[in-house]
Amino acid sequence: MAPEPSLASLLLPFILSLISAISVQSSPEGFVHCFSLHSKNDTPLSHIVYGPENPSLASVFNFLIQELRFATPTTPRPQVIVTPLDEPHIQSAIYCAKKHGLEIRIRSGGHDFEGASYISKDPFVILDLFKLNSITVDVEDATAWVQSGATLGELYYAISKKSRTLAFPAGYWSTVGVGGHLSGGGYGALLRKYGLAGDNVIDAKFINVDGKILDRKSMGEDLFWALKGAGGGNFGVIVAFKIKLVAVPEKVTVFKVSRTLEQNATKLVHKWQYVAPSIHEDLTMALRINNVKSSQAGKQTISVGFESLFLGGADRLLSLMQEKFPELGLVRKDCSEMSWIQSVVVLADIFPAGAPPEVLLNRTAAPKQYTKQKADYVEKPISVKGIEGLWKVFFQIDPESGGMNWTPYGGRMAETSESETPYPHRARNIFMIYEAVNWNEKDGAVSRRHIDWVRKLYKYMTPFVAKNPRSSYFNYRDYDLGINSRGKTSYEEASVWGVKYFRDNFKRLAEVKAMIDPHEFFRSEQTIPPHFGECSKLLGK
């Protein structure tokens, strides 16, 4: 009589098959095979999916990385990159990533300050949308549909080819991707007149975790609200936005003048805080602050650039400046009248003088460099003494390495409710600060020195910036503010950074996340918490 089979022998085939299944599911080859089965397209698969056997994987990965801190040999690399040509490709990527246990990162322009759109500690796939860049402009309706993979430069150029008196209020740098920029809020030279880019989104095409294609009507107002300031890959894949275009005159005026410490820069910066947020909304007068080499050998000074866009002619601008800010000494030769699209090229600060609008189509025009950035908001003017102390911090870093941009609010920004979109930093603030340090050496000690400096700058600013909480801008993602740890994500932990970006809106975003993506398939190191049971308890639901 044959012996009874042992439990181990009965379970062995099952265990072996389970191990085999797990190994297949976690392999990039399995993802590529899955994608090939679920996608039908005339384009060769090798031009859409870049797996480990595709020699172009590394070059496609590096192509859009702007931040060189995340383009090193130790940077986590994707198992696969998918460059979709249509919505079914995105649906297939989501399905196959879930099936084979791979996370998804969504990239449009590659300007993510902490690499969250193309880096993960776990095996992952990049959904790179740069080939989805079509733009359709409706001049009669003053609207446009723009796909997420288009750049701001491509959008601006497309608008300008259809109209000289329509524009869109978004960012300065033309190489930034539309998808990330608009879904995080997005600001630029028109914000005092027309608000943020996200404020002017009127519809969206969105693919959720189940692969369903939704528009504003079918997704509901809560999710649509979330996508206009807290998107960034938190909820699903934004394929395209419908945007409201805004009116600009045929001629606008730009001026860019600089003043050093020797030219009374400190007092000018102090006065600017009272003028720029309260002056007519047709004028956005931003500051660009840098430490530079002085004319005296071996010494530094501070250079303050006043870079401005005025929606009108030079004569009206000069009259306004003489009334409100005569100390700057602006004169007619400082002012250049031009079309709006020409002003976009000039204010981008990455193109040579006289460059034609066509340069906006260059996706790689922005310099690639090592950088670390941070952000702040200011509610009350900083004293002269505080500004003088700031200069001392600047003198502790190499000339032309450290910088600050001060962007004035007021105008439309003061008129919009903090809950209108997830972007809450509105009326209480008089200006926003962008703090940055740049360097070129790969050396680790050099990197640490520069990063330590910008953190020191950030610390110095503590008494002068918004408090309770000290706030930041979601598109300027900053991992110094706190990181969600896998397996430990909670509403309380996420709030360490979440309330800095979203204030009270974070609670509503947590509920939207729990509704749309309860298993947290779409995530990054800073993601909206998904666990509705926990969130509902903490939120008193």
Short mmCIF file of all heavy atoms in Angstrom, two decimals, residues 98-161:
data_model
loop_
_atom_site.label_atom_id
_atom_site.label_comp_id
_atom_site.label_asym_id
_atom_site.label_seq_id
_atom_site.Cartn_x
_atom_site.Cartn_y
_atom_site.Cartn_z
N LYS A 98 -0.20 47.33 -12.91
CA LYS A 98 -0.89 46.70 -11.77
C LYS A 98 -0.71 45.19 -11.78
O LYS A 98 -0.44 44.58 -10.75
CB LYS A 98 -2.38 47.06 -11.80
CG LYS A 98 -2.69 48.51 -11.47
CD LYS A 98 -4.15 48.72 -11.16
CE LYS A 98 -5.04 48.42 -12.35
NZ LYS A 98 -6.46 48.68 -12.06
N LYS A 99 -0.84 44.60 -12.94
CA LYS A 99 -0.74 43.14 -13.05
C LYS A 99 0.64 42.64 -12.68
O LYS A 99 0.79 41.57 -12.07
CB LYS A 99 -1.09 42.71 -14.47
CG LYS A 99 -1.04 41.19 -14.69
CD LYS A 99 -1.47 40.82 -16.09
CE LYS A 99 -1.40 39.29 -16.28
NZ LYS A 99 -1.83 38.89 -17.64
N HIS A 100 1.67 43.39 -13.01
CA HIS A 100 3.04 42.92 -12.81
C HIS A 100 3.74 43.62 -11.64
O HIS A 100 4.97 43.58 -11.53
CB HIS A 100 3.84 43.08 -14.10
CG HIS A 100 3.38 42.14 -15.17
ND1 HIS A 100 3.84 40.85 -15.27
CD2 HIS A 100 2.47 42.31 -16.16
CE1 HIS A 100 3.24 40.25 -16.29
NE2 HIS A 100 2.40 41.12 -16.84
N GLY A 101 2.98 44.23 -10.78
CA GLY A 101 3.53 44.75 -9.53
C GLY A 101 4.51 45.88 -9.68
O GLY A 101 5.45 45.99 -8.89
N LEU A 102 4.31 46.74 -10.65
CA LEU A 102 5.21 47.87 -10.88
C LEU A 102 4.49 49.18 -10.58
O LEU A 102 3.32 49.34 -10.94
CB LEU A 102 5.70 47.88 -12.33
CG LEU A 102 6.56 46.68 -12.75
CD1 LEU A 102 6.76 46.68 -14.26
CD2 LEU A 102 7.90 46.70 -12.04
N GLU A 103 5.17 50.10 -9.92
CA GLU A 103 4.61 51.42 -9.71
C GLU A 103 4.70 52.24 -11.00
O GLU A 103 5.48 51.90 -11.90
CB GLU A 103 5.35 52.15 -8.59
CG GLU A 103 5.14 51.53 -7.22
CD GLU A 103 5.68 52.41 -6.11
OE1 GLU A 103 6.29 53.45 -6.41
OE2 GLU A 103 5.47 52.04 -4.93
N ILE A 104 3.92 53.31 -11.05
CA ILE A 104 3.96 54.20 -12.21
C ILE A 104 4.38 55.59 -11.77
O ILE A 104 3.92 56.10 -10.75
CB ILE A 104 2.58 54.26 -12.92
CG1 ILE A 104 2.41 53.06 -13.85
CG2 ILE A 104 2.43 55.55 -13.70
CD1 ILE A 104 1.17 53.11 -14.71
N ARG A 105 5.29 56.18 -12.53
CA ARG A 105 5.61 57.59 -12.40
C ARG A 105 5.21 58.28 -13.70
O ARG A 105 5.43 57.74 -14.78
CB ARG A 105 7.11 57.80 -12.15
CG ARG A 105 7.57 57.27 -10.80
CD ARG A 105 7.00 58.11 -9.66
NE ARG A 105 7.40 57.61 -8.37
CZ ARG A 105 6.71 56.73 -7.66
NH1 ARG A 105 5.59 56.24 -8.13
NH2 ARG A 105 7.14 56.34 -6.47
N ILE A 106 4.63 59.47 -13.58
CA ILE A 106 4.09 60.18 -14.74
C ILE A 106 4.93 61.43 -14.98
O ILE A 106 5.05 62.30 -14.11
CB ILE A 106 2.62 60.57 -14.51
CG1 ILE A 106 1.80 59.32 -14.14
CG2 ILE A 106 2.04 61.24 -15.75
CD1 ILE A 106 0.44 59.65 -13.57
N ARG A 107 5.52 61.52 -16.16
CA ARG A 107 6.40 62.64 -16.49
C ARG A 107 5.89 63.37 -17.72
O ARG A 107 5.47 62.75 -18.70
CB ARG A 107 7.83 62.12 -16.73
CG ARG A 107 8.84 63.21 -17.05
CD ARG A 107 10.27 62.71 -16.94
NE ARG A 107 10.66 61.83 -18.03
CZ ARG A 107 11.90 61.36 -18.20
NH1 ARG A 107 12.84 61.68 -17.34
NH2 ARG A 107 12.18 60.56 -19.21
N SER A 108 5.93 64.71 -17.66
CA SER A 108 5.55 65.49 -18.85
C SER A 108 6.70 66.37 -19.32
O SER A 108 7.00 66.41 -20.51
CB SER A 108 4.31 66.34 -18.57
OG SER A 108 4.50 67.19 -17.46
N GLY A 109 7.36 67.09 -18.39
CA GLY A 109 8.44 67.98 -18.80
C GLY A 109 9.79 67.67 -18.19
O GLY A 109 10.82 68.08 -18.69
N GLY A 110 9.80 66.96 -17.06
CA GLY A 110 11.06 66.58 -16.43
C GLY A 110 11.65 67.61 -15.50
O GLY A 110 12.81 67.51 -15.12
N HIS A 111 10.85 68.60 -15.08
CA HIS A 111 11.35 69.67 -14.22
C HIS A 111 11.07 69.42 -12.74
O HIS A 111 11.24 70.33 -11.93
CB HIS A 111 10.74 71.01 -14.62
CG HIS A 111 11.40 71.64 -15.81
ND1 HIS A 111 12.51 72.45 -15.72
CD2 HIS A 111 11.11 71.56 -17.13
CE1 HIS A 111 12.87 72.86 -16.92
NE2 HIS A 111 12.04 72.34 -17.80
N ASP A 112 10.63 68.26 -12.37
CA ASP A 112 10.33 67.98 -10.97
C ASP A 112 11.56 68.20 -10.10
O ASP A 112 12.61 67.59 -10.32
CB ASP A 112 9.83 66.54 -10.83
CG ASP A 112 9.19 66.27 -9.49
OD1 ASP A 112 9.89 66.41 -8.48
OD2 ASP A 112 8.01 65.90 -9.45
N PHE A 113 11.45 69.06 -9.09
CA PHE A 113 12.61 69.47 -8.30
C PHE A 113 13.18 68.35 -7.44
O PHE A 113 14.34 68.42 -7.02
CB PHE A 113 12.25 70.66 -7.41
CG PHE A 113 12.14 71.95 -8.16
CD1 PHE A 113 11.62 73.08 -7.55
CD2 PHE A 113 12.58 72.06 -9.47
CE1 PHE A 113 11.52 74.28 -8.23
CE2 PHE A 113 12.49 73.26 -10.15
CZ PHE A 113 11.95 74.37 -9.53
N GLU A 114 12.39 67.33 -7.14
CA GLU A 114 12.90 66.20 -6.36
C GLU A 114 12.84 64.90 -7.16
O GLU A 114 12.99 63.82 -6.60
CB GLU A 114 12.13 66.05 -5.05
CG GLU A 114 12.27 67.24 -4.10
CD GLU A 114 13.62 67.30 -3.41
OE1 GLU A 114 14.52 66.51 -3.76
OE2 GLU A 114 13.80 68.15 -2.50
N GLY A 115 12.62 65.00 -8.45
CA GLY A 115 12.62 63.81 -9.31
C GLY A 115 11.44 62.89 -9.09
O GLY A 115 11.47 61.74 -9.54
N ALA A 116 10.39 63.37 -8.44
CA ALA A 116 9.26 62.50 -8.09
C ALA A 116 8.52 61.97 -9.32
O ALA A 116 7.85 60.94 -9.24
CB ALA A 116 8.29 63.23 -7.18
N SER A 117 8.63 62.65 -10.45
CA SER A 117 7.91 62.21 -11.65
C SER A 117 8.65 61.13 -12.43
O SER A 117 8.11 60.60 -13.40
CB SER A 117 7.65 63.41 -12.57
OG SER A 117 8.86 63.94 -13.06
N TYR A 118 9.87 60.79 -11.99
CA TYR A 118 10.61 59.78 -12.74
C TYR A 118 11.54 58.93 -11.89
O TYR A 118 12.44 58.27 -12.41
CB TYR A 118 11.40 60.43 -13.89
CG TYR A 118 12.26 61.60 -13.49
CD1 TYR A 118 13.56 61.42 -13.02
CD2 TYR A 118 11.77 62.90 -13.57
CE1 TYR A 118 14.35 62.49 -12.66
CE2 TYR A 118 12.55 63.98 -13.20
CZ TYR A 118 13.84 63.77 -12.75
OH TYR A 118 14.62 64.84 -12.38
N ILE A 119 11.32 58.92 -10.56
CA ILE A 119 12.16 58.13 -9.66
C ILE A 119 11.28 57.43 -8.63
O ILE A 119 10.30 58.00 -8.15
CB ILE A 119 13.19 59.01 -8.92
CG1 ILE A 119 14.22 59.57 -9.90
CG2 ILE A 119 13.91 58.23 -7.84
CD1 ILE A 119 15.19 60.55 -9.26
N SER A 120 11.63 56.20 -8.29
CA SER A 120 10.97 55.48 -7.21
C SER A 120 11.97 54.52 -6.58
O SER A 120 12.87 54.02 -7.26
CB SER A 120 9.76 54.69 -7.72
OG SER A 120 9.20 53.91 -6.68
N LYS A 121 11.80 54.26 -5.30
CA LYS A 121 12.66 53.29 -4.63
C LYS A 121 12.26 51.86 -4.96
O LYS A 121 13.04 50.92 -4.78
CB LYS A 121 12.60 53.51 -3.11
CG LYS A 121 13.15 54.85 -2.66
CD LYS A 121 12.99 55.05 -1.17
CE LYS A 121 13.51 56.41 -0.73
NZ LYS A 121 13.31 56.64 0.73
N ASP A 122 11.04 51.68 -5.41
CA ASP A 122 10.52 50.35 -5.76
C ASP A 122 10.53 50.17 -7.27
O ASP A 122 10.61 51.15 -8.02
CB ASP A 122 9.11 50.18 -5.21
CG ASP A 122 9.07 50.30 -3.69
OD1 ASP A 122 9.86 49.61 -3.04
OD2 ASP A 122 8.24 51.08 -3.17
N PRO A 123 10.45 48.93 -7.78
CA PRO A 123 10.40 48.71 -9.23
C PRO A 123 9.27 49.53 -9.85
O PRO A 123 8.13 49.49 -9.37
CB PRO A 123 10.15 47.21 -9.34
CG PRO A 123 10.72 46.64 -8.09
CD PRO A 123 10.44 47.65 -7.03
N PHE A 124 9.59 50.25 -10.94
CA PHE A 124 8.59 51.17 -11.47
C PHE A 124 8.70 51.33 -12.98
O PHE A 124 9.70 50.97 -13.61
CB PHE A 124 8.72 52.53 -10.79
CG PHE A 124 9.95 53.33 -11.14
CD1 PHE A 124 9.87 54.43 -11.98
CD2 PHE A 124 11.19 52.99 -10.63
CE1 PHE A 124 11.00 55.19 -12.28
CE2 PHE A 124 12.32 53.73 -10.92
CZ PHE A 124 12.23 54.83 -11.76
N VAL A 125 7.63 51.89 -13.52
CA VAL A 125 7.50 52.23 -14.93
C VAL A 125 7.30 53.73 -15.04
O VAL A 125 6.58 54.33 -14.23
CB VAL A 125 6.28 51.53 -15.56
CG1 VAL A 125 6.04 52.00 -16.98
CG2 VAL A 125 6.44 50.02 -15.53
N ILE A 126 7.97 54.36 -16.00
CA ILE A 126 7.70 55.77 -16.28
C ILE A 126 6.71 55.85 -17.44
O ILE A 126 6.92 55.24 -18.50
CB ILE A 126 8.98 56.53 -16.66
CG1 ILE A 126 9.91 56.66 -15.45
CG2 ILE A 126 8.63 57.93 -17.19
CD1 ILE A 126 11.21 57.38 -15.76
N LEU A 127 5.64 56.58 -17.21
CA LEU A 127 4.70 56.91 -18.27
C LEU A 127 5.08 58.30 -18.75
O LEU A 127 4.73 59.31 -18.12
CB LEU A 127 3.28 56.87 -17.73
CG LEU A 127 2.12 56.89 -18.72
CD1 LEU A 127 2.21 55.72 -19.69
CD2 LEU A 127 0.80 56.86 -17.98
N ASP A 128 5.87 58.37 -19.81
CA ASP A 128 6.42 59.63 -20.30
C ASP A 128 5.52 60.17 -21.40
O ASP A 128 5.41 59.59 -22.48
CB ASP A 128 7.83 59.41 -20.82
CG ASP A 128 8.64 60.70 -20.83
OD1 ASP A 128 8.05 61.75 -21.10
OD2 ASP A 128 9.85 60.65 -20.53
N LEU A 129 4.88 61.30 -21.13
CA LEU A 129 3.81 61.80 -22.00
C LEU A 129 4.28 62.76 -23.08
O LEU A 129 3.46 63.38 -23.74
CB LEU A 129 2.75 62.49 -21.13
CG LEU A 129 2.14 61.66 -20.00
CD1 LEU A 129 1.13 62.51 -19.22
CD2 LEU A 129 1.48 60.40 -20.53
N PHE A 130 5.60 62.88 -23.29
CA PHE A 130 6.07 63.97 -24.16
C PHE A 130 5.60 63.85 -25.60
O PHE A 130 5.60 64.85 -26.33
CB PHE A 130 7.59 64.10 -24.09
CG PHE A 130 8.38 63.02 -24.78
CD1 PHE A 130 8.77 63.17 -26.09
CD2 PHE A 130 8.75 61.86 -24.10
CE1 PHE A 130 9.51 62.19 -26.73
CE2 PHE A 130 9.49 60.88 -24.73
CZ PHE A 130 9.88 61.04 -26.05
N LYS A 131 5.18 62.65 -26.04
CA LYS A 131 4.66 62.51 -27.40
C LYS A 131 3.19 62.91 -27.50
O LYS A 131 2.66 63.07 -28.61
CB LYS A 131 4.85 61.08 -27.88
CG LYS A 131 6.31 60.67 -28.05
CD LYS A 131 6.45 59.23 -28.50
CE LYS A 131 7.93 58.83 -28.63
NZ LYS A 131 8.10 57.41 -29.01
N LEU A 132 2.53 63.04 -26.36
CA LEU A 132 1.14 63.51 -26.35
C LEU A 132 1.17 65.02 -26.16
O LEU A 132 0.99 65.54 -25.06
CB LEU A 132 0.37 62.84 -25.21
CG LEU A 132 0.06 61.35 -25.40
CD1 LEU A 132 -0.57 60.77 -24.14
CD2 LEU A 132 -0.86 61.13 -26.60
N ASN A 133 1.39 65.74 -27.25
CA ASN A 133 1.60 67.19 -27.16
C ASN A 133 0.76 67.99 -28.16
O ASN A 133 1.14 69.09 -28.55
CB ASN A 133 3.07 67.52 -27.35
CG ASN A 133 3.59 67.17 -28.75
OD1 ASN A 133 2.98 66.37 -29.46
ND2 ASN A 133 4.69 67.78 -29.14
N SER A 134 -0.39 67.46 -28.54
CA SER A 134 -1.23 68.19 -29.49
C SER A 134 -1.94 69.35 -28.79
O SER A 134 -2.25 69.29 -27.60
CB SER A 134 -2.27 67.26 -30.13
OG SER A 134 -3.27 66.92 -29.21
N ILE A 135 -2.17 70.42 -29.57
CA ILE A 135 -2.80 71.64 -29.05
C ILE A 135 -3.82 72.11 -30.08
O ILE A 135 -3.49 72.25 -31.26
CB ILE A 135 -1.76 72.74 -28.81
CG1 ILE A 135 -0.70 72.27 -27.81
CG2 ILE A 135 -2.44 74.02 -28.31
CD1 ILE A 135 0.55 73.14 -27.79
N THR A 136 -5.05 72.35 -29.64
CA THR A 136 -6.10 72.85 -30.52
C THR A 136 -6.65 74.14 -29.95
O THR A 136 -7.20 74.15 -28.84
CB THR A 136 -7.24 71.82 -30.66
OG1 THR A 136 -6.72 70.58 -31.13
CG2 THR A 136 -8.29 72.32 -31.64
N VAL A 137 -6.49 75.23 -30.68
CA VAL A 137 -6.89 76.55 -30.20
C VAL A 137 -8.18 76.97 -30.90
O VAL A 137 -8.28 76.93 -32.13
CB VAL A 137 -5.79 77.60 -30.47
CG1 VAL A 137 -6.24 78.99 -30.03
CG2 VAL A 137 -4.50 77.20 -29.76
N ASP A 138 -9.17 77.39 -30.11
CA ASP A 138 -10.43 77.90 -30.62
C ASP A 138 -10.48 79.40 -30.32
O ASP A 138 -10.79 79.81 -29.20
CB ASP A 138 -11.60 77.18 -29.95
CG ASP A 138 -12.96 77.57 -30.52
OD1 ASP A 138 -13.08 78.67 -31.08
OD2 ASP A 138 -13.91 76.77 -30.39
N VAL A 139 -10.15 80.21 -31.31
CA VAL A 139 -10.07 81.66 -31.10
C VAL A 139 -11.44 82.24 -30.81
O VAL A 139 -11.60 83.10 -29.92
CB VAL A 139 -9.45 82.33 -32.34
CG1 VAL A 139 -9.52 83.85 -32.21
CG2 VAL A 139 -8.00 81.89 -32.52
N GLU A 140 -12.46 81.79 -31.53
CA GLU A 140 -13.80 82.34 -31.35
C GLU A 140 -14.31 82.12 -29.93
O GLU A 140 -14.93 83.00 -29.32
CB GLU A 140 -14.76 81.71 -32.36
CG GLU A 140 -16.16 82.30 -32.32
CD GLU A 140 -17.05 81.73 -33.41
OE1 GLU A 140 -16.52 81.09 -34.35
OE2 GLU A 140 -18.28 81.93 -33.31
N ASP A 141 -14.02 80.96 -29.39
CA ASP A 141 -14.47 80.60 -28.04
C ASP A 141 -13.46 81.01 -26.97
O ASP A 141 -13.73 80.91 -25.77
CB ASP A 141 -14.71 79.09 -27.98
CG ASP A 141 -15.54 78.69 -26.78
OD1 ASP A 141 -16.46 79.44 -26.41
OD2 ASP A 141 -15.26 77.62 -26.19
N ALA A 142 -12.24 81.42 -27.39
CA ALA A 142 -11.14 81.78 -26.47
C ALA A 142 -10.82 80.63 -25.52
O ALA A 142 -10.65 80.82 -24.31
CB ALA A 142 -11.46 83.04 -25.70
N THR A 143 -10.70 79.43 -26.10
CA THR A 143 -10.34 78.24 -25.32
C THR A 143 -9.32 77.43 -26.11
O THR A 143 -9.09 77.68 -27.30
CB THR A 143 -11.55 77.35 -25.01
OG1 THR A 143 -12.13 76.88 -26.25
CG2 THR A 143 -12.60 78.09 -24.20
N ALA A 144 -8.74 76.46 -25.46
CA ALA A 144 -7.82 75.54 -26.14
C ALA A 144 -7.82 74.22 -25.41
O ALA A 144 -7.98 74.17 -24.18
CB ALA A 144 -6.41 76.12 -26.20
N TRP A 145 -7.63 73.14 -26.13
CA TRP A 145 -7.34 71.83 -25.56
C TRP A 145 -5.84 71.59 -25.74
O TRP A 145 -5.30 71.73 -26.83
CB TRP A 145 -8.12 70.72 -26.26
CG TRP A 145 -9.49 70.47 -25.71
CD1 TRP A 145 -10.67 70.88 -26.23
CD2 TRP A 145 -9.80 69.75 -24.51
NE1 TRP A 145 -11.72 70.45 -25.44
CE2 TRP A 145 -11.21 69.75 -24.37
CE3 TRP A 145 -9.03 69.09 -23.53
CZ2 TRP A 145 -11.86 69.12 -23.31
CZ3 TRP A 145 -9.68 68.47 -22.49
CH2 TRP A 145 -11.07 68.49 -22.37
N VAL A 146 -5.18 71.25 -24.66
CA VAL A 146 -3.74 71.01 -24.73
C VAL A 146 -3.43 69.71 -24.00
O VAL A 146 -3.86 69.50 -22.86
CB VAL A 146 -2.94 72.19 -24.13
CG1 VAL A 146 -3.43 72.56 -22.74
CG2 VAL A 146 -1.45 71.89 -24.11
N GLN A 147 -2.70 68.82 -24.66
CA GLN A 147 -2.33 67.56 -24.04
C GLN A 147 -1.20 67.76 -23.03
O GLN A 147 -0.38 68.68 -23.14
CB GLN A 147 -1.93 66.54 -25.10
CG GLN A 147 -3.10 66.03 -25.92
CD GLN A 147 -2.71 64.88 -26.85
OE1 GLN A 147 -1.71 64.95 -27.56
NE2 GLN A 147 -3.51 63.83 -26.85
N SER A 148 -1.15 66.86 -22.05
CA SER A 148 -0.24 67.04 -20.92
C SER A 148 1.23 67.02 -21.32
O SER A 148 2.08 67.60 -20.62
CB SER A 148 -0.49 65.95 -19.88
OG SER A 148 -1.71 66.18 -19.22
N GLY A 149 1.57 66.34 -22.41
CA GLY A 149 2.97 66.24 -22.80
C GLY A 149 3.49 67.45 -23.53
O GLY A 149 4.70 67.55 -23.80
N ALA A 150 2.63 68.41 -23.88
CA ALA A 150 3.09 69.65 -24.50
C ALA A 150 3.86 70.48 -23.48
O ALA A 150 3.64 70.36 -22.27
CB ALA A 150 1.91 70.44 -25.04
N THR A 151 4.76 71.31 -23.96
CA THR A 151 5.45 72.24 -23.08
C THR A 151 4.71 73.58 -23.06
O THR A 151 3.89 73.87 -23.95
CB THR A 151 6.89 72.49 -23.53
OG1 THR A 151 6.88 73.10 -24.83
CG2 THR A 151 7.69 71.18 -23.58
N LEU A 152 5.01 74.40 -22.08
CA LEU A 152 4.43 75.74 -22.05
C LEU A 152 4.81 76.53 -23.29
O LEU A 152 4.00 77.27 -23.84
CB LEU A 152 4.88 76.48 -20.79
CG LEU A 152 4.44 75.90 -19.45
CD1 LEU A 152 4.96 76.78 -18.31
CD2 LEU A 152 2.93 75.76 -19.36
N GLY A 153 6.05 76.34 -23.73
CA GLY A 153 6.49 77.04 -24.94
C GLY A 153 5.69 76.64 -26.15
O GLY A 153 5.31 77.50 -26.98
N GLU A 154 5.40 75.36 -26.30
CA GLU A 154 4.58 74.90 -27.42
C GLU A 154 3.17 75.46 -27.34
O GLU A 154 2.57 75.83 -28.36
CB GLU A 154 4.56 73.37 -27.44
CG GLU A 154 5.90 72.75 -27.82
CD GLU A 154 5.94 71.25 -27.59
OE1 GLU A 154 5.12 70.72 -26.80
OE2 GLU A 154 6.81 70.59 -28.19
N LEU A 155 2.64 75.54 -26.12
CA LEU A 155 1.30 76.10 -25.94
C LEU A 155 1.29 77.58 -26.29
O LEU A 155 0.42 78.05 -27.04
CB LEU A 155 0.85 75.90 -24.50
CG LEU A 155 -0.46 76.58 -24.09
CD1 LEU A 155 -1.62 76.10 -24.94
CD2 LEU A 155 -0.75 76.37 -22.61
N TYR A 156 2.23 78.33 -25.77
CA TYR A 156 2.27 79.77 -26.06
C TYR A 156 2.41 80.02 -27.56
O TYR A 156 1.76 80.90 -28.13
CB TYR A 156 3.45 80.42 -25.33
CG TYR A 156 3.40 80.35 -23.82
CD1 TYR A 156 4.57 80.35 -23.07
CD2 TYR A 156 2.19 80.29 -23.13
CE1 TYR A 156 4.54 80.31 -21.68
CE2 TYR A 156 2.15 80.24 -21.75
CZ TYR A 156 3.33 80.24 -21.02
OH TYR A 156 3.30 80.19 -19.66
N TYR A 157 3.28 79.25 -28.19
CA TYR A 157 3.51 79.44 -29.63
C TYR A 157 2.24 79.14 -30.43
O TYR A 157 1.88 79.89 -31.35
CB TYR A 157 4.65 78.54 -30.09
CG TYR A 157 5.03 78.73 -31.53
CD1 TYR A 157 5.82 79.81 -31.92
CD2 TYR A 157 4.60 77.84 -32.51
CE1 TYR A 157 6.17 80.00 -33.26
CE2 TYR A 157 4.95 78.01 -33.85
CZ TYR A 157 5.72 79.09 -34.22
OH TYR A 157 6.06 79.28 -35.53
N ALA A 158 1.54 78.05 -30.06
CA ALA A 158 0.32 77.68 -30.77
C ALA A 158 -0.74 78.77 -30.63
O ALA A 158 -1.46 79.09 -31.60
CB ALA A 158 -0.21 76.35 -30.23
N ILE A 159 -0.86 79.36 -29.44
CA ILE A 159 -1.82 80.44 -29.25
C ILE A 159 -1.45 81.64 -30.11
O ILE A 159 -2.30 82.25 -30.78
CB ILE A 159 -1.87 80.85 -27.76
CG1 ILE A 159 -2.41 79.69 -26.91
CG2 ILE A 159 -2.75 82.09 -27.58
CD1 ILE A 159 -2.26 79.92 -25.42
N SER A 160 -0.15 81.98 -30.14
CA SER A 160 0.30 83.15 -30.88
C SER A 160 0.09 83.02 -32.39
O SER A 160 -0.08 84.03 -33.08
CB SER A 160 1.77 83.43 -30.58
OG SER A 160 2.62 82.49 -31.22
N LYS A 161 0.10 81.80 -32.89
CA LYS A 161 -0.11 81.59 -34.32
C LYS A 161 -1.57 81.80 -34.71
O LYS A 161 -1.88 82.00 -35.89
CB LYS A 161 0.34 80.19 -34.73
CG LYS A 161 1.82 79.91 -34.53
CD LYS A 161 2.71 80.89 -35.27
CE LYS A 161 2.67 80.65 -36.77
NZ LYS A 161 3.62 81.56 -37.48
#
